Amino acid sequence: MRNSRIFVSCALAAPLVLSACATPGDENRADTYNAAQVNQRQLAHVINILAVMPARVQVSNAQNQRTAQIVGGLLGAGLGAGLGAGVAHSTTAGVLGGLGGGGAGAAAGSLVPGQTLVDGVSITYQDGNQTFSSAQVGRLCEYVPGKAVMIQGSPTETRVQPNHECPPPQKS
């Protein structure tokens, strides 16, 4: 009875913990700022977007990888302890099962890749009399040809702000 409660607890906790996974790439969006960039003066340009093309951007997935390792370790330890104690009817077997299950679960969690591809856009724009291109993390529907604001945090950093709202998702 006790082992089944442990199993049920782990099974119920898994979706809750996994739902806390971060969305990779959100920190790289043009409209996302870190604390050091808030309340800081940054150069802004009004640019003319000429073309918007789909792109894929490789970003860090380290946070989700760490979460998967922790969750895998916890679930593996809980299941290993429950099964070890339940099958062998021994505390020692439960402890060994928990250790083995925790190690196996953490190892399985490390299979989550450290890098992942997210949706992005390649924007070709005019700034003054020059034409440039900049890749941004974002969705194609967030940008359209025409005027947009570009924030320039450094001579090479361009944050082209979305100049269009995506349509709401269709309800089935």
Side-chain angles (χ1 to χ4, degrees), residues 68 110 127 157:
S110 69
D127 187 6
E157 178 191 14

Side-chain angles (χ1 to χ4, degrees), residues 139-142 164-168:
R139 298 184 309 171
L140 196 58
C141 61
E142 294 178 306
H164 190 260
E165 287 189 33
C166 295

Side-chain angles (χ1 to χ4, degrees), residues 1-67:
M1 181 72 167
R2 181 172 169 253
N3 292 334
S4 64
R5 279 187 260 157
I6 292 172
F7 177 78
V8 169
S9 297
C10 289
L12 291 174
L16 295 174
V17 174
L18 291 174
S19 68
C21 291
T23 304
D26 273 355
E27 70 277 3
N28 300 106
R29 289 182 48 88
D31 55 359
T32 301
Y33 297 90
N34 65 41
Q37 294 170 313
V38 175
N39 300 326
Q40 297 297 312
R41 184 172 117 168
Q42 295 177 326
L43 185 60
H45 295 270
V46 175
I47 61 170
N48 185 31
I49 296 178
L50 302 173
V52 182
M53 296 168 284
R56 300 290 285 161
V57 181
Q58 186 175 359
V59 297
S60 172
N61 196 32
Q63 184 175 352
N64 286 340
Q65 186 181 48
R66 282 189 300 274
T67 300

Side-chain angles (χ1 to χ4, degrees), residues 43-50 124-133 148 150 152 158:
L43 185 60
H45 295 270
V46 175
I47 61 170
N48 185 31
I49 296 178
L50 302 173
T124 302
Y125 65 93
Q126 272 188 318
D127 187 6
N129 61 358
Q130 292 184 306
T131 302
F132 298 95
S133 179
M150 179 186 68
Q152 195 167 0
T158 60

Side-chain angles (χ1 to χ4, degrees), residues 53-163:
M53 296 168 284
R56 300 290 285 161
V57 181
Q58 186 175 359
V59 297
S60 172
N61 196 32
Q63 184 175 352
N64 286 340
Q65 186 181 48
R66 282 189 300 274
T67 300
Q69 289 171 328
I70 291 168
V71 170
L74 292 174
L75 290 176
L79 291 174
L83 290 173
V87 171
H89 303 291
S90 159
T91 304
T92 303
V95 170
L96 292 175
L99 291 173
S110 69
L111 296 175
V112 171
Q115 300 283 322
T116 190
L117 292 174
V118 297
D119 288 335
V121 292
S122 176
I123 299 171
T124 302
Y125 65 93
Q126 272 188 318
D127 187 6
N129 61 358
Q130 292 184 306
T131 302
F132 298 95
S133 179
S134 180
Q136 306 287 315
V137 172
R139 298 184 309 171
L140 196 58
C141 61
E142 294 178 306
Y143 297 91
V144 295
K147 302 279 185 205
V149 173
M150 179 186 68
I151 307 296
Q152 195 167 0
S154 73
T156 59
E157 178 191 14
T158 60
R159 291 176 168 264
V160 179
Q161 302 302 297
N163 66 346

